[in-house]
Amino acid sequence: MKPLYFDHGATTPLRREVHQAMIQCMEETFANPGSLHDEGTQAADQVEHARKQMASAIGASSREILFTGSGTEANNLAILGAARKARRRGRHIITTQVEHPSVLKPCHQLEEEGFRVTYLPVDEMGMISLQDLDEALTPETILVSVMAANNEVGTLMPIHEIADRLRKRRILFHTDAVQYFGKHPFDVSRLGVDLLTLSGHKINGPKGIGALYLRKGIRLDPLLFGGGQERGLRPGTQNVPGIAGLGVAARLAAEEATDTERHLIELRNLLWNRISREIPGVRLNGHPEHRLSSNLNLSFDRVEGQAILLELNRSGISVSSGSACSAGKHAPSHVLTAMGRHPEEAYQSLRITLGKENGEEDIHTLVERLKEVLGYLRSLIRG
Ligand code: PLP
């Protein structure tokens, strides 16, 4: 059986055009983009070309894009850098209980440094309440960080509404759009955020490369100290092939976003319609409508997600039983727990994340195999 990959929330395959751009860059552009000779200038031109591609893919200007070593690094730079820079104006930060660890842990670090952090709760669908946000805001609040889309359950947060509230108050707004970008049409100038995180490997680009959108005029403290690369905010010789690959991946993701969204929603609806009709004892986690086009997070009664994952894996089908970062350590997901799920229910969750290369046939194969696997695992419990 051909392997079937449904774990695009963890990472995506490198697309051919990105691969070609990276190979060409590695073969032809080896010089340091900081060098003044022609070879160096050629490398610097590659970086600037990719910066333009990244900027126009999200509706920003080139000056507003910083390349980083990952989405994790961009989140750290946004949160630590913005909070430390603005500390004289106040020491209160607001985020949510369901953020990725690369947002939560910098917030914990800021608490060590004397900041106060409010972690907004979510409802049973993984959604924050705007009223909770309003109530949490104080004159001391300098930064709010709310993810655009949750990586585990796919719930989309009300980014426009949050931005509207914060704009009048001189409070910086950061969003982690690592999972959102590429699966829905996107324009940062209309979102109204000040800082926004992106990652290469979630959009069929390379791993180990990310970008931070930094709205014109927003200032940060750097996390690293060294040369003047990336305006001194991310010193270190740039990863030119990674950046070239990210530029191409971002351009294609933006060009295809409308078609990708439609394709993913069709597949996701087909998958959910079949599962909900044909498999008893299943619940959808996350918001039924405001959710990522690619994400279906399900809990199956009486069976652990990890057991299903391992059985599907035996037939060459890849899914996840949590986020990639928390899979491997057996603790209930902090997202499902924040949504009020009992730890036992959290262990039952299975995350299926679709990608552009999946087709209808793949969905039918997955459902058939899931039915067999659940029948088998549930029979073991009965026996
Ligand atoms: N933010 C979210 C929502 C993610 O899902 C991930 C990766 O899983 C990251 C940030 C981190 O990105 P990277 O793997 O590029 O460090």
Side-chain angles (χ1 to χ4, degrees):
M1 211 170 99
K2 94 170 176 173
L4 288 179
Y5 186 78
F6 299 107
D7 197 14
H8 295 82
T11 198
T12 55
L14 201 70
R15 59 189 289 172
R16 192 178 39 82
E17 300 90 329
V18 174
H19 181 252
Q20 275 171 351
M22 292 178 73
I23 293 291
Q24 192 181 356
C25 184
M26 280 188 265
E27 285 174 357
E28 295 171 13
T29 323
F30 73 94
N32 189 322
S35 299
L36 286 180
H37 44 66
D38 285 356
E39 297 276 10
T41 308
Q42 202 183 325
D45 287 348
Q46 279 271 4
V47 170
E48 292 320 306
H49 178 62
R51 201 185 306 281
K52 275 200 196 110
Q53 289 178 314
M54 180 82 254
S56 83
I58 63 165
S61 83
S62 294
R63 285 279 299 165
E64 295 174 313
I65 302 295
L66 294 177
F67 291 118
T68 64
S70 59
T72 295
E73 194 191 303
N75 276 341
N76 273 257
L77 178 58
I79 288 165
L80 296 171
R84 289 173 183 162
K85 186 61 148 189
R87 69 191 313 153
R88 267 180 231 98
R89 284 202 284 116
R91 286 176 171 237
H92 178 230
I93 288 146
I94 300 174
T95 186
T96 80
Q97 292 177 2
V98 296
E99 298 295 312
H100 188 264
S102 58
V103 166
L104 291 174
K105 291 194 180 166
C107 287
H108 299 161
Q109 173 59 28
L110 288 172
E111 288 182 284
E112 296 282 315
E113 296 174 20
F115 288 83
R116 191 167 70 78
V117 183
T118 303
Y119 299 90
L120 296 175
V122 292
D123 64 16
E124 68 286 1
M125 292 179 282
M127 187 70 90
I128 59 158
S129 123
L130 291 169
Q131 193 185 332
D132 286 346
L133 172 66
D134 288 340
E135 285 167 11
L137 292 169
T138 75
E140 279 275 299
T141 311
I142 50 169
L143 173 68
V144 173
S145 179
V146 176
M147 68 203 320
N150 186 270
N151 47 302
E152 292 190 32
V153 298
T155 299
L156 305 180
M157 294 294 194
I159 300 303
H160 282 284
E161 290 84 344
I162 301 171
D164 282 348
R165 282 169 157 70
L166 300 180
R167 193 170 301 121
K168 303 165 204 126
R169 301 190 185 224
R170 276 188 78 214
I171 299 172
L172 294 174
F173 182 25
H174 166 251
T175 189
D176 173 351
V178 163
Q179 293 286 342
Y180 187 84
F181 178 57
K183 290 157 199 144
H184 300 271
F186 186 97
D187 184 343
V188 80
S189 62
R190 277 200 245 130
L191 268 187
V193 299
D194 300 301
L195 303 119
L196 180 140
T197 295
L198 299 160
S199 170
H201 71 107
K202 311 287 182 177
I203 54 165
N204 303 95
K207 294 171 183 54
I209 194 78
L212 181 65
Y213 160 80
L214 187 63
R215 193 167 62 75
K216 189 166 170 276
I218 307 295
R219 296 174 63 220
L220 300 179
D221 273 358
L223 303 184
L224 302 177
F225 299 90
Q229 294 93 345
E230 302 301 304
R231 294 193 273 142
L233 287 170
R234 205 288 184 172
T237 304
Q238 285 105 330
N239 168 4
V240 183
I243 289 173
L246 175 60
V248 174
R251 175 176 66 75
L252 293 169
E255 282 171 7
E256 297 167 6
T258 307
D259 289 343
T260 304
E261 182 188 51
R262 191 182 321 117
H263 175 65
L264 293 176
I265 289 176
E266 265 170 31
L267 291 186
R268 194 196 61 200
N269 289 349
L270 172 67
L271 180 58
W272 174 234
N273 289 342
R274 278 206 65 187
I275 289 180
S276 57
R277 263 192 255 121
E278 299 173 40
I279 301 182
V282 58
R283 265 151 304 124
L284 178 69
N285 298 314
H287 201 287
E289 287 121 42
H290 300 294
R291 68 181 302 123
L292 269 183
S293 52
S294 55
N295 175 297
L296 208 57
N297 189 311
L298 307 168
S299 286
F300 293 95
D301 285 353
R302 301 186 299 130
V303 185
E304 284 206 4
Q306 213 158 76
I308 306 172
L309 180 157
L310 294 174
E311 280 302 317
L312 288 175
N313 184 53
R314 283 151 62 99
S315 345
I317 298 179
S318 306
V319 296
S320 163
S321 61
S323 73
C325 317
S326 62
K329 64 169 195 238
H330 206 53
S333 138
H334 72 287
V335 176
L336 290 164
T337 326
M339 287 161 59
R341 298 297 158 88
H342 191 272
E344 196 186 319
E345 242 185 301
Y347 283 127
Q348 290 167 349
S349 99
L350 190 76
R351 183 184 72 166
I352 301 168
T353 41
L354 307 170
K356 46 202 310 137
E357 73 282 358
N358 292 136
E360 255 184 50
E361 263 320 295
D362 302 342
I363 301 294
H364 292 302
T365 310
L366 171 61
V367 177
E368 292 307 324
R369 191 68 195 114
L370 250 182
K371 281 160 65 175
E372 287 166 15
V373 163
L374 278 156
Y376 166 65
L377 291 172
R378 284 175 171 162
S379 77
L380 293 180
I381 302 167
R382 264 203 301 277

